[in-house]
Amino acid sequence: MAKISPLQVTPLLPGTNCGECGEETCMAFAVKLLDHVYTVDDCKPLVKEKKYAKKFAKLKEMTTPPIRAVKVGVGERQIVIGGEEVLYRHELTYYSPTAIILSAPDDNLSLIEERAKLVRDLEVYRIGTLLKIQGLAIRSKSNDPATFAKAVKTAIATADIPLILCSTNPAVLKAGANAAKGKNPLLYAATKENFKEVGQIALEHNCGVVVYSMDLNELASLAASLYAAGLEKIALDPGIEPSDGCFADSLDRFMMLRKAAIKGDKNVGWPIVTPIASAWIGKDPNLSEAERIETAFREAEMGATFIARASNMLILHSADSWLLLGLMVLRQGIYSDPRINPSVEAKLYEIGNPNENSPVFMTTNYTMTYFVVKDDLEALKLDAYLLLVDSEGICVESAIAGGQTKAEHVAEAIKESGLENKVKHRIIIIPGLAARISGELEALSNWKVLVGPRDSGGIGAFLKAKWDGKLDQLMQEWKEMQEE
Amino acid sequence: MENEKFSEFQKRLNKLLANVNEIILKNIVIESEELEFQVGREGKGAIPSQIMQMMRPMLGAVKPILAEIAWKQVEFANPADTYPGEIVEVKFIRSGRGGKVITIGGEKVPPYYRFEGENPHPPVVTADVFDIPVNTKTRPTFLRLAKPVKDHLLQPEDVTTDMAAWAKKSVEVFGAEMITLHFIGTDPTIPEKLGGKKPPKWAAQNLEEVLQTVDVPIVIGGSGNHEMDPKVFEACAQVGEAERLLLSSLEMETYEKIAPIAKKYDHNVLAWTKLELNDQKKLNSELMEMGIPKDHIIIDPTCATLGYGLEYSFSIYERIRLAALKGEESLQCPMSGGTTNAWGAREAFLPDRDHPEWGPRAYRGPLWEIMTAYVLSMCGLDLAMMLHPGAQMGFKSIVKALTTKEKGPTVNPLEWITMEV
């Protein structure tokens, strides 16, 4: 939709400005439609009234993104993969964050249960957002339909999460799809050998299917064949090999698919699924810890590759928390909207109900810095002042090194904030990463500077050691500073 | 009773339909969980695919038993683009016998886009060496390094009190291709007792020792102090006259003083801007106008860390590289980034006891630095300024996977479904 203008959309809307969508005018709806706030179906008259049928169809086609969106799972945890419109993040933004999927073999029910619980429960709170894992891939190591069905049932009994059912044996996939009736799983994978049978299962259960081939002609043909047969939920796997050189070929196939789709090749205009679990193919189950970590690092690097290139789904073998943390944090960044400024207003913020004896903290106005510090102060149930100094929206370390935040800026901010009328003391706590401006800041501001911890997580311990019950002593030091 | 009623209904329905060929249903809503259409699988009874396409909106909840799915052969066309622009090659040179030369840049297509063409040089790592001791147990210091980093430098013996020893270990043990000497101790605002206020002459002496100890190219890092940096660079440029050093860095406020030094002694410069593409264009153009050859300039648009703005760097690097390949001449230089910044992220340096749910710092720390460096290399980073030896190796390993011409073992990717682990 990047290249469509609201002027092209408006003639296809009813033009009655009925307001049913919540917007005052059809033009306003058009603008937000192109901004992904609405979908075409949100214009009720267009959907309902027969006279608009042609316009509806045309608008729907016009606004279908080059990478079509596919839903997996049901209910609250349902995910949408795809929907991307651009090759590069800065050209617009990426819309549907890469789904991170854990996996477990069907012959290990306790692991299925453990992983399903992990997917259900894992939450990492970061900068105002909860980071989560999206689903579970059950892989048919047994190649036995009954074993597979049992594993699928175990997962469903444990958690209501999106499932990816993995086998190339249609009998296994059929048993799995039956066990996951009504759960809208994603079938993995249809190949040139099994696509007729697997396609039937997908049609029968109205669920999505991943087509697989390392040959892109064959992959495009598989997708085209299933689409012609009536399937509307398709995803592509061009085969991910982990080893040197082979991984480069895998990334090439991935990028060719994505680029072709963005340029308009409808046959491959589907989400891409990247099972980076392939890093573990051929590994001994009893491999040494060192080798295990080395392989996990390779898997993490493969994961970073595909998140950075907007893959729609990663399927992992590892479930190590350090690895998941890294991938989730990378995803949070890459999928943040580049059109939004990363800074918050540089001013004095109140945490809790501060009074004239409350501590005063200073940091920079980079959004992430602000959220991290604010969350940490609130977690301590502190009453405090937090002074944000304008760093042009970058973090403390870079702002100090880069000169966006100098002692003079902080001194100025203290003056402008009116802090000198709000607190009785003249003590300011600055981030440990801003230590180098402390001397100059004391000279310019006439406040005593306490260098705080490098990380705001250490503020509690810091206050205990340096602040609590020491205000008089600190003010005495401040007075001595005046005399000097 | 129910069954009887139903069979009666069915009989009457059959009677009604006996002479009917076609039924048209109008304004009918069918509400059911399952609805089966019995149609033939092949031949006459099969639903043609055009009809299937038309029925698609209706069939949301319906499960049709279909005709056999047919193979539809289509062709996939390689979407490769061509690029009119090219990145210059920049060389870092060690003089004398056996002196190493490292070349970066020369790209013709975006990083790792082998389907569009071949780039001549993979990204290179330059390893950090600081001029301030880091062992907080032996003396107070301005520089606080994370424990996973210190573990490599303080064991079996502390190499951080001697830049040459630190550089030697980085090259010989950790395999560094280049060394960055950070003279942060020359910052006059850092107290002497914490390692600061060192004179430029002191930097030059250290450089001299390092040059005698290792044979890899050297980057000279200043303290960021605008008054002192030109003096430090001048002293080092002179001592390293026979080499081609990289002076790191100059910026809008300092280039007028530093560029002439680089020009006089034929060194490379690192042009640093703060996440602002237009500033970078301007700075590079100014440098070229002052007579610094394009192939002596490295761009540093600022490396923010994973979790703390990496995405802003990501998009700036990507925009710069794509603009350069599309022909923007002022940006056709290789790029660098201080990926060491990753260790400023709490997820990298906080000890395990603070966040047990994050997993061991021994892994998440290096992972943070690898990801920061690697993800930027996907957008055009050519020279990664790195700190942790394990992270350097990890970064080089994934870069090799994407740039080597020799292939490792091939596997059937589908085997992940059935693998034993």
Side-chain angles (χ1 to χ4, degrees), chain A residues 2 36 85-86 88-95 337-339:
Chain A
H36 282 230
E85 300 181 6
V86 291
Y88 297 108
R89 179 179 176 269
H90 63 259
E91 292 172 320
L92 182 65
T93 185
Y94 290 151
Y95 285 104
D337 192 334
R339 298 168 295 184

Side-chain angles (χ1 to χ4, degrees), chain B residues 129 162-172 176 179 181 210 214:
Chain B
V129 170
D162 175 353
M163 290 184 100
W166 189 341
K168 187 171 155 64
K169 186 170 185 181
S170 299
V171 173
E172 290 176 6
I179 292 289
L181 303 177
V210 171
V214 297

Side-chain angles (χ1 to χ4, degrees), chain B residues 61-355:
Chain B
V62 173
K63 57 174 198 184
I65 296 167
L66 285 173
E68 190 170 270
I69 296 171
W71 181 257
K72 186 179 171 192
Q73 182 69 37
V74 296
E75 297 304 315
F76 178 82
N78 186 340
D81 288 311
T82 52
Y83 302 86
E86 203 174 297
I87 312 303
V88 292
E89 286 185 338
V90 174
K91 288 185 188 309
F92 307 105
I93 303 170
R94 279 307 304 277
S95 62
R97 199 141 53 109
K100 301 230 161 64
V101 176
I102 297 270
T103 308
I104 60 170
E107 287 91 345
K108 294 170 180 66
V109 296
Y112 313 130
Y113 276 35
R114 304 215 292 197
F115 68 101
E116 293 192 327
E118 198 182 326
N119 287 330
H121 308 292
V124 166
V125 171
T126 176
D128 292 331
V129 170
F130 292 94
D131 64 341
I132 293 185
V134 300
N135 192 348
T136 44
K137 283 186 186 129
T138 52
R139 54 165 290 179
T141 169
F142 173 72
L143 188 65
R144 311 298 286 269
L145 295 185
K147 192 167 178 298
V149 176
K150 278 199 288 194
D151 285 348
H152 287 275
L153 302 171
L154 302 181
Q155 311 294 337
E157 59 210 28
D158 185 354
V159 294
T160 66
T161 53
D162 175 353
M163 290 184 100
W166 189 341
K168 187 171 155 64
K169 186 170 185 181
S170 299
V171 173
E172 290 176 6
V173 181
F174 306 139
E177 301 155 276
M178 288 176 65
I179 292 289
T180 308
L181 303 177
H182 291 280
F183 293 114
I184 53 175
T186 59
D187 188 333
T189 68
I190 299 175
E192 212 171 334
K193 61 173 187 199
L194 297 182
K197 294 196 180 5
K198 297 267 175 42
K201 200 174 76 187
W202 182 82
Q205 279 165 359
N206 269 288
L207 171 62
E208 208 158 8
E209 271 175 45
V210 171
L211 287 174
Q212 281 160 16
T213 312
V214 297
D215 60 1
V216 300
I218 306 292
V219 180
I220 305 297
S223 67
N225 183 285
H226 290 173
E227 302 307 314
M228 193 51 83
D229 275 359
K231 294 174 191 162
V232 171
F233 290 144
E234 172 93 54
C236 290
Q238 206 170 1
V239 164
E241 195 173 9
E243 327 291 331
R244 185 166 306 154
L245 306 169
L246 172 64
L247 306 184
S248 167
S249 59
L250 55 75
E251 52 192 299
M252 272 302 184
E253 292 80 7
T254 56
Y255 76 93
E256 283 170 323
K257 280 189 194 163
I258 296 171
I261 300 168
K263 196 176 160 191
K264 182 173 168 195
Y265 298 99
D266 195 29
H267 293 310
N268 299 319
V269 293
L270 187 104
W272 179 42
T273 56
K274 293 147 197 168
L275 296 171
E276 195 32 78
L277 186 139
N278 288 325
D279 286 354
Q280 192 75 59
K281 272 186 179 166
K282 204 168 143 203
L283 179 56
N284 293 4
S285 304
E286 296 278 343
L287 290 174
M288 289 178 215
E289 260 174 44
M290 286 177 75
I292 304 284
K294 201 173 174 180
D295 64 2
H296 280 48
I297 300 172
I298 305 281
I299 300 175
D300 182 351
T302 298
C303 163
T305 303
L306 173 59
Y308 299 87
L310 175 63
E311 59 277 14
Y312 297 101
S313 298
F314 182 90
S315 287
I316 290 281
Y317 278 72
E318 196 151 77
R319 285 170 59 201
I320 289 178
R321 179 50 50 90
L322 291 172
L325 292 172
K326 283 178 187 157
E328 174 55 55
E329 298 206 3
S330 66
L331 297 174
Q332 289 169 340
C333 305
M335 285 192 278
S336 174
T339 63
T340 296
N341 288 343
W343 290 95
R346 49 170 39 193
E347 288 84 351
F349 74 77
L350 282 184
D352 297 352
R353 62 174 182 275
D354 287 13
H355 284 278

Side-chain angles (χ1 to χ4, degrees), chain A residues 186-452:
Chain A
L186 181 65
L187 305 183
Y188 178 101
T191 64
K192 194 172 186 191
E193 290 69 39
N194 71 13
F195 76 98
K196 292 183 183 178
E197 294 92 336
V198 175
Q200 292 288 1
I201 300 165
L203 281 170
E204 198 177 314
H205 289 270
N206 189 33
C207 62
V209 61
V210 182
V211 295
Y212 167 91
S213 177
M214 293 169 80
D215 174 334
L216 297 185
N217 277 324
E218 190 176 292
L219 190 67
S221 302
L222 275 166
S225 305
L226 292 180
Y227 185 64
L231 261 167
E232 288 226 304
K233 292 189 266 185
I234 298 171
L236 314 169
D237 174 7
I240 307 303
E241 280 192 275
S243 72
D244 289 358
C246 297
F247 182 58
D249 293 344
S250 305
L251 180 59
D252 265 346
R253 288 191 295 272
F254 176 98
M255 284 312 303
M256 286 163 81
L257 283 178
R258 180 52 54 90
K259 200 165 202 176
I262 297 292
K263 284 184 170 183
D265 183 343
K266 289 207 161 68
N267 291 323
V268 294
W270 299 105
I272 308 180
V273 170
T274 46
I276 54 172
S278 64
W280 297 84
I281 293 172
K283 299 285 174 195
D284 188 330
N286 302 314
L287 80 183
S288 70
E289 180 63 6
E291 214 183 324
R292 195 186 76 78
I293 292 301
E294 194 184 320
T295 312
F297 264 93
R298 174 53 61 94
E299 189 180 16
E301 290 150 8
M302 291 165 71
T305 311
F306 290 118
I307 289 175
R309 286 288 166 247
S311 162
N312 305 99
M313 181 181 286
L314 297 182
I315 303 179
L316 279 75
H317 172 71
S318 303
D320 295 41
S321 42
W322 54 276
L323 181 153
L324 296 179
L325 180 72
L327 293 178
M328 288 194 293
V329 170
L330 177 61
R331 178 182 60 181
Q332 184 181 28
I334 296 291
Y335 280 84
S336 66
D337 192 334
R339 298 168 295 184
I340 291 172
N341 191 318
S343 63
V344 291
E345 196 188 343
K347 59 169 192 182
L348 186 69
Y349 291 80
E350 294 186 356
I351 308 287
N353 297 302
N355 60 32
E356 56 187 21
N357 290 320
S358 297
V360 175
F361 295 91
M362 166 256 149
T363 191
T364 64
N365 74 327
Y366 176 40
T367 308
M368 301 195 202
T369 306
Y370 167 67
F371 269 106
V372 167
V373 177
K374 180 178 90 78
D375 287 347
D376 283 337
L377 293 175
E378 283 175 352
L380 291 168
K381 300 204 169 26
L382 261 158
D383 295 316
Y385 287 104
L386 177 58
L387 179 64
L388 293 202
V389 178
D390 190 2
S391 63
E392 295 165 32
I394 65 172
C395 64
V396 176
E397 193 169 27
S398 308
I400 297 294
Q404 283 90 343
T405 303
K406 292 180 182 161
E408 64 203 61
H409 301 137
V410 182
E412 226 167 84
I414 293 175
K415 287 268 162 341
E416 281 171 15
S417 68
L419 263 170
E420 298 188 333
N421 299 322
K422 290 184 199 263
V423 293
K424 274 202 312 202
H425 64 78
R426 291 291 178 267
I427 319 291
I428 188 162
I429 302 167
I430 69 168
L433 294 169
R436 65 199 286 179
I437 63 166
S438 60
E440 215 180 335
L441 178 58
E442 285 192 339
L444 290 173
S445 68
N446 211 12
W447 278 53
K448 180 171 171 56
V449 175
L450 281 186
V451 176

Side-chain angles (χ1 to χ4, degrees), chain A residues 68-219:
Chain A
R68 276 159 284 193
V70 172
K71 290 175 180 164
V72 183
V74 290
E76 241 175 65
R77 298 292 298 263
Q78 182 179 70
I79 51 171
V80 178
I81 57 171
E84 304 310 341
E85 300 181 6
V86 291
L87 191 60
Y88 297 108
R89 179 179 176 269
H90 63 259
E91 292 172 320
L92 182 65
T93 185
Y94 290 151
Y95 285 104
S96 314
T98 312
I100 298 180
I101 305 291
L102 300 184
S103 66
D106 63 349
D107 62 355
N108 187 341
L109 292 182
S110 63
L111 190 62
I112 295 265
E113 210 180 308
E114 188 185 305
R115 292 277 153 90
K117 277 185 186 155
L118 189 59
V119 173
R120 186 188 66 193
D121 300 335
L122 183 77
E123 284 180 347
V124 178
Y125 178 75
R126 233 180 152 271
I127 324 161
T129 313
L130 280 177
L131 310 183
K132 291 170 96 77
I133 299 291
Q134 278 61 50
L136 181 66
I138 301 171
R139 55 186 183 96
S140 178
K141 192 172 140 195
S142 70
N143 199 30
D144 172 50
T147 307
F148 192 67
K150 203 169 171 194
V152 172
K153 281 186 179 143
T154 303
I156 290 172
T158 311
D160 200 3
I161 51 174
L163 295 177
I164 326 296
L165 310 181
C166 310
S167 175
T168 49
N169 179 347
V172 168
L173 287 179
K174 196 177 176 81
N178 283 333
K181 224 180 190 92
K183 296 291 178 191
N184 190 28
L186 181 65
L187 305 183
Y188 178 101
T191 64
K192 194 172 186 191
E193 290 69 39
N194 71 13
F195 76 98
K196 292 183 183 178
E197 294 92 336
V198 175
Q200 292 288 1
I201 300 165
L203 281 170
E204 198 177 314
H205 289 270
N206 189 33
C207 62
V209 61
V210 182
V211 295
Y212 167 91
S213 177
M214 293 169 80
D215 174 334
L216 297 185
N217 277 324
E218 190 176 292
L219 190 67

